[in-house]
Amino acid sequence: MRPFFYLLTLIRFFSIMKKGGKSEVFVHQLQQLFENNLRWAQRIKQNDPEFFSRLSRQQNPEYLWIGCSDSRVPSTQIVDLLPGEIFVHRNIANVVVHTDLNCLSVIQYAVERLKVKHIIICGHYGCGGIRAALENRSHGLIDNWLRHIKDIYRCHQDKIDALPDETARQNLLCELNVIEQVANVCHTTIVQNAWNAGMDLTVHGWIYSIDDGILKDLKVAVRQLDDISVTHRLK
Ligand code: CO
């Protein structure tokens, strides 16, 4: 059954190529990405001929980045670092949920195997996920994910609703979300075990402005067990 399926896919692909029109433009655009890639790899090799062979042997990042999936907030570029320097997890509105096996696995691998020294939760102003969480409009499946942000809104509703305009309300929730996610990372067994084992690990909360490309430290960094709430502390 399988070879037949592949054959059918190939025939479809070539018939699309032959017919031209919109699909051909699409194929052409993807071709552009491969051309970009070749130029990029050549540029890197010119600056550092050993770059890829060194990276292929091992990665040794000092940072784990937990950010929003938003295409305007690419982790490595905005802090001007190269591939290999940041281990990354991204999802809508940079949320860390204690039952999200995907995110927890990334944190565990980063802390226990890669031994990163810093976990950075980076939110951004103008986040569509945060904006949607402040509304009552349904957006489908994603409403379930945004519930986590609505919970943060509920906890700070008086402060947020007291602000005079929508942008200020959204900006504050963007910041409060980062602060909450810093706490969520610190409350994981992974981070607490690392601290109990004497590992040097700091969890940071940052926010990025799409308007001017500038990062801001929300100064909520946590680096030891004593800094987290007693309720969540594990021995
Ligand atoms: Co976002």
Side-chain angles (χ1 to χ4, degrees):
M1 222 28 220
R2 251 195 189 163
F4 177 70
F5 174 76
Y6 289 137
L7 188 68
L8 209 67
T9 311
L10 259 177
I11 291 169
R12 265 192 210 135
F13 176 76
F14 285 114
S15 72
I16 286 168
M17 294 280 284
K18 230 176 150 185
K19 274 184 207 151
K22 213 177 171 187
S23 301
E24 196 179 45
V25 172
F26 181 64
V27 171
H28 175 73
Q29 282 171 342
L30 289 185
Q31 186 54 37
Q32 183 66 51
L33 298 187
F34 285 96
E35 287 164 15
N36 289 355
N37 165 255
L38 275 181
R39 276 197 301 275
W40 170 80
Q42 279 163 359
R43 215 165 43 235
I44 298 234
K45 266 200 237 171
Q46 266 166 12
N47 291 332
D48 180 357
E50 297 301 310
F51 183 81
F52 291 111
S53 55
R54 200 170 54 241
L55 265 192
S56 66
R57 285 192 292 275
Q58 70 163 77
Q59 58 166 338
N60 192 20
E62 250 187 59
Y63 315 98
L64 164 61
W65 177 281
I66 301 176
C68 183
S69 299
D70 193 306
S71 62
R72 298 164 296 179
V73 196
S75 54
T76 325
Q77 275 121 309
I78 62 177
V79 286
D80 202 17
L81 290 179
L82 288 165
E85 297 189 274
I86 307 185
F87 199 63
V88 177
H89 178 79
R90 289 168 73 179
N91 61 39
I92 288 172
N94 41 271
V95 179
V96 177
V97 182
H98 60 275
T99 50
D100 177 0
L101 285 180
N102 182 359
C103 184
L104 291 178
S105 303
V106 171
I107 297 175
Q108 184 189 11
Y109 190 79
V111 171
E112 294 179 8
R113 298 295 292 273
L114 298 173
K115 303 204 183 309
V116 297
K117 292 199 163 48
H118 304 274
I119 300 177
I120 299 156
I121 309 291
C122 186
H124 67 102
Y125 295 119
C127 182
I130 301 287
R131 193 167 57 238
L134 277 167
E135 298 169 353
N136 289 98
R137 205 150 52 94
S138 173
H139 297 275
L141 177 75
I142 195 176
D143 294 332
N144 299 286
W145 183 251
L146 298 177
R147 270 282 312 279
H148 298 293
I149 303 166
K150 273 193 183 288
D151 289 342
I152 302 168
Y153 174 40
R154 193 191 61 218
C155 292
H156 302 275
Q157 195 157 2
D158 292 349
K159 209 173 155 192
I160 293 170
D161 288 352
L163 290 170
D165 66 277
E166 198 55 42
T167 309
R169 285 193 284 276
Q170 287 171 16
N171 287 351
L172 179 59
L173 188 55
C174 286
E175 292 178 359
L176 290 170
N177 178 47
V178 170
I179 296 166
E180 187 74 17
Q181 305 317 325
V182 167
N184 284 345
V185 170
C186 295
H187 296 164
T188 61
T189 51
I190 306 153
V191 169
Q192 294 199 43
N193 288 346
W195 282 332
N196 279 328
M199 275 178 69
D200 175 19
L201 179 66
T202 308
V203 184
H204 306 261
W206 296 357
I207 195 144
Y208 175 76
S209 168
I210 293 171
D211 293 338
D212 58 11
I214 300 298
L215 266 177
K216 185 168 89 180
D217 188 348
L218 290 173
K219 298 197 164 59
V220 289
V222 184
R223 55 180 311 172
Q224 56 186 3
L225 211 59
D226 291 348
D227 295 339
I228 69 173
S229 72
V230 178
T231 321
H232 291 93
R233 222 176 286 170
L234 303 167
K235 283 184 182 143

